[in-house]
Amino acid sequence: MEKLLIIILNAVLVSTIMCLADRVNNHIHIFIKRSYCMHCGHILHWYDLIPILSALLTHARCRYCHRTYGMHYAYFELVGMLVGSYLFSDTLAWITAYLLLFLALEDWHTERIHADILIPYIVYLFIHSWSDPKILTACAVMIISLFLVYHRQVMGSGDIPVLLLITLTTTAQSFPLTLLLASISALLYLVKHHVQRLPFVPFLYFGWLSIILIEKIVTSMTS
């Protein structure tokens, strides 16, 4: 029963974060209106909002105007539900995963993020990890990032809190692997799609999540 509740909780959280990201990206106030169809404006009932199941039953179409909104929502909800449930026992990784998911979705659509939402959490992580050597790594990352943002102007200022968060939630060995994986995946995307610039937070999120999951799977297999 406990595992079922954890799965339901993560499914709802992923769906909610995707909804919040959609509203922010489309400049819609997140509190003044219930969920509605972006095409016809019809208010959605509770049974239209069940994660994964509603999209499968309606073939990812609005029940009122029959316009498709894409099955990718269901795919994201399924993957997010599984990953969130797997990380649930590690509170720091679980919280970090959802914060980075929201910022990754926001950055992908607008190339701008509300990175200030990370500041209270980063302050907590600094206090929590004060005696850990990773604090020195975080300080070095912050100095290098400030140089790249304000002197070289090759990185957005919103990337600084994201990099600090990743530094404080990874080990000294996994942090460079995260950056390497994020950079390689971003480079492959640039080559494939022939674009000059791209939002980097989604690739940082992909690199961080991949390394975290690999570490946990290896640890569970060897223990």
Side-chain angles (χ1 to χ4, degrees), residues 100-119:
L100 290 179
L101 172 61
F102 173 76
L103 295 178
L105 291 172
E106 185 181 17
D107 195 30
W108 186 261
H109 288 283
T110 65
E111 296 189 7
R112 298 181 64 184
I113 61 173
H114 290 82
D116 51 331
I117 67 173
L118 297 179
I119 294 176

